[in-house]
Amino acid sequence: MHSMTSANELNLQLESTLQELPLWSVYVEVKSLVNDLTTLFKQEPLLPGIILTKNHKYQGMISRQRFFEHMSRPYSLSLFATRPIENLINFLQPEVCIVSEEMRIVDAIQIALQRVPQLVYEPILVKTNSGNYQLVDFHQLLNSMKVGTERIHEIVLALRNFSRLDESEKKRVDIHEGIDSTLLLLQSRLKNQQTGQIITIVKEYEKLPLVECYPSLINQAFMNILANAIDAIFNNYDCSGLSCSLPPSPQKYPLIRIRTELIDDNHVIIRIADNGLGIPKDIQKRLFDPFFTTKSVGKGTGLGLSISYQIVVDKHGGQLQCISALGEGTEFMIKIPVQLDS
């Protein structure tokens, strides 16, 4: 029996298939007693159905809804409770919707909705490439679709907020809103597809006033610095040709910490810190130089931090600093005025 995962924790997309959903795998031999089904359903309130086998070969499926509907009828409990399950199945003759695990979730929902009304809410049987069977609850399918559409809506809003295409001039904005939109756009990069590691984001936001700035530019600076922090955690620096020596680093819990604060009522500071390998001192002084990069060939342009520096310092009259120590991580500090000079 697979423990069910909330659809909110799944990174589902329009092309996601059924095998990306958590599925139920509960098998019972038809020679077992009907009481065994009752016990299983009572033990797991979310269990949508049970797969039935005979000599370990698939025989059918009985859903929670149909099982209890039938057992609640007069005399059904006394008639079937202590008899083998195959007697109940022969009596019910349930129809089962079987689809491949490689089918897209949106297609499976369409098929499910095309069933006769009394079967619409029945679970769907998913046949795996290995020939086994698993169950997915129809309500779970709908929930995954809802989560997917909500995520698309959030990303569209985040893109608009990030780009601020309609706000090319300076404007008073919520800095936290810009950071959150940037994080949403980078969400897919927070998981290392090779190792399965997931970066935890810790936000320590203080109450800030609206800050006058060029929103799209400031958000671009956030994007560049956060993307570098992700790379610093998941990738080792390639220091070929540079005078640096990186000590072996113990396995760390991947973490990016974002802190904001208001100082002297006139300036806002945003600190973005990672617990990656850190940056050698002889490299730190060149970080903001155009075309300088510590990444391997083809993986970096060397412009991200340089552009961020120009945005923060030249465009907003602020400061951008890097504090780093080998083996301890890196912190970038952005300091910008609350009110831009005219």
Side-chain angles (χ1 to χ4, degrees), residues 126-142:
V126 180
K127 187 174 183 180
T128 66
N129 292 330
S130 61
N132 295 322
Y133 292 88
Q134 295 178 309
L135 280 176
V136 60
D137 189 359
F138 177 74
H139 294 89
Q140 183 189 355
L141 279 179
L142 291 181

Side-chain angles (χ1 to χ4, degrees), residues 288-341:
F288 303 118
D289 293 347
F291 305 109
F292 176 78
T293 179
T294 58
K295 300 174 184 177
S296 57
V297 177
K299 292 188 176 181
T301 63
L303 291 174
L305 290 179
S306 175
I307 291 174
S308 299
Y309 188 88
Q310 292 178 28
I311 291 172
V312 173
V313 178
D314 299 339
K315 195 68 175 177
H316 290 84
Q319 300 176 15
L320 177 57
Q321 299 176 337
C322 172
I323 304 171
S324 184
L326 282 178
E328 296 182 10
T330 302
E331 179 180 81
F332 283 91
M333 186 188 75
I334 300 170
K335 180 181 178 181
I336 54 176
V338 173
Q339 183 77 35
L340 280 178
D341 293 334

Side-chain angles (χ1 to χ4, degrees), residues 80-331:
F80 290 103
T82 58
R83 294 191 176 186
I85 296 171
E86 58 186 345
N87 292 332
L88 180 62
I89 295 302
N90 292 336
F91 184 83
L92 289 179
Q93 295 182 341
E95 298 180 29
V96 182
C97 178
I98 303 177
V99 297
S100 167
E101 68 174 349
E102 296 179 348
M103 178 175 287
R104 295 190 312 166
I105 295 174
V106 291
D107 295 331
I109 291 177
Q110 186 175 6
I111 291 175
L113 291 173
Q114 290 173 348
R115 295 180 292 182
V116 295
Q118 59 267 32
L119 296 179
V120 164
Y121 295 105
E122 289 285 286
I124 293 176
L125 202 61
V126 180
K127 187 174 183 180
T128 66
N129 292 330
S130 61
N132 295 322
Y133 292 88
Q134 295 178 309
L135 280 176
V136 60
D137 189 359
F138 177 74
H139 294 89
Q140 183 189 355
L141 279 179
L142 291 181
N143 190 32
S144 66
M145 178 65 72
K146 179 183 177 183
V147 170
T149 54
E150 288 175 350
R151 182 170 290 120
I152 291 173
H153 179 66
E154 290 173 355
I155 290 174
V156 170
L157 290 179
L159 281 169
R160 181 178 179 183
N161 183 43
F162 175 80
S163 60
R164 298 277 187 173
L165 296 177
D166 56 343
E167 300 171 5
S168 57
E169 298 300 321
K170 61 184 179 180
K171 184 178 179 181
R172 298 177 68 85
V173 297
D174 184 345
I175 288 294
H176 295 153
E177 189 178 85
I179 297 173
D180 292 341
S181 296
T182 306
L183 286 171
L184 183 59
L185 297 179
L186 289 170
Q187 187 175 24
S188 62
R189 293 190 54 190
L190 296 178
K191 180 177 180 179
N192 189 320
Q193 300 302 322
Q194 295 180 338
T195 65
Q197 280 187 315
I198 298 177
I199 298 177
T200 297
I201 303 294
V202 176
K203 302 176 187 177
E204 298 176 355
Y205 291 169
E206 288 191 5
K207 186 176 181 179
L208 300 179
L210 295 180
V211 175
E212 186 180 41
C213 64
Y214 296 91
S216 62
L217 295 181
I218 283 294
N219 289 344
Q220 184 63 59
F222 293 154
M223 173 71 78
N224 294 340
I225 293 172
L226 284 166
N228 273 8
I230 293 171
D231 291 340
I233 290 175
F234 286 152
N235 306 317
N236 294 338
Y237 284 103
D238 180 7
C239 297
S240 55
L242 301 172
S243 58
C244 72
S245 176
L246 297 180
S249 177
Q251 193 72 14
K252 293 181 178 179
Y253 185 74
L255 179 71
I256 292 177
R257 187 183 303 274
I258 305 172
R259 293 181 292 170
T260 62
E261 62 178 315
L262 176 67
I263 59 172
D264 62 38
D265 293 331
N266 295 317
H267 291 83
V268 166
I269 291 182
I270 304 101
R271 303 177 187 271
I272 300 175
D274 66 70
N275 63 346
L277 291 176
I279 306 173
K281 285 187 177 181
D282 58 338
I283 292 180
Q284 291 180 32
K285 59 186 178 183
R286 300 177 59 190
L287 282 179
F288 303 118
D289 293 347
F291 305 109
F292 176 78
T293 179
T294 58
K295 300 174 184 177
S296 57
V297 177
K299 292 188 176 181
T301 63
L303 291 174
L305 290 179
S306 175
I307 291 174
S308 299
Y309 188 88
Q310 292 178 28
I311 291 172
V312 173
V313 178
D314 299 339
K315 195 68 175 177
H316 290 84
Q319 300 176 15
L320 177 57
Q321 299 176 337
C322 172
I323 304 171
S324 184
L326 282 178
E328 296 182 10
T330 302
E331 179 180 81

Side-chain angles (χ1 to χ4, degrees), residues 5-34:
T5 304
S6 169
N8 293 293
E9 301 174 13
L10 304 173
N11 188 22
L12 298 178
Q13 303 175 8
L14 288 177
E15 297 300 317
S16 292
T17 60
L18 292 171
Q19 59 189 335
E20 297 179 50
L21 293 175
L23 304 175
W24 293 96
S25 300
V26 182
Y27 294 84
V28 175
E29 282 280 317
V30 293
K31 296 295 184 183
S32 301
L33 301 181
V34 172

Side-chain angles (χ1 to χ4, degrees), residues 16-59:
S16 292
T17 60
L18 292 171
Q19 59 189 335
E20 297 179 50
L21 293 175
L23 304 175
W24 293 96
S25 300
V26 182
Y27 294 84
V28 175
E29 282 280 317
V30 293
K31 296 295 184 183
S32 301
L33 301 181
V34 172
N35 269 341
D36 294 336
L37 296 180
T38 305
T39 300
L40 283 172
F41 281 127
K42 287 183 177 179
Q43 286 177 345
E44 183 50 70
L46 297 179
L47 179 62
I50 294 174
I51 302 170
L52 304 173
T53 60
K54 185 175 184 179
N55 298 324
H56 304 292
K57 293 184 180 180
Y58 169 76
Q59 289 294 298

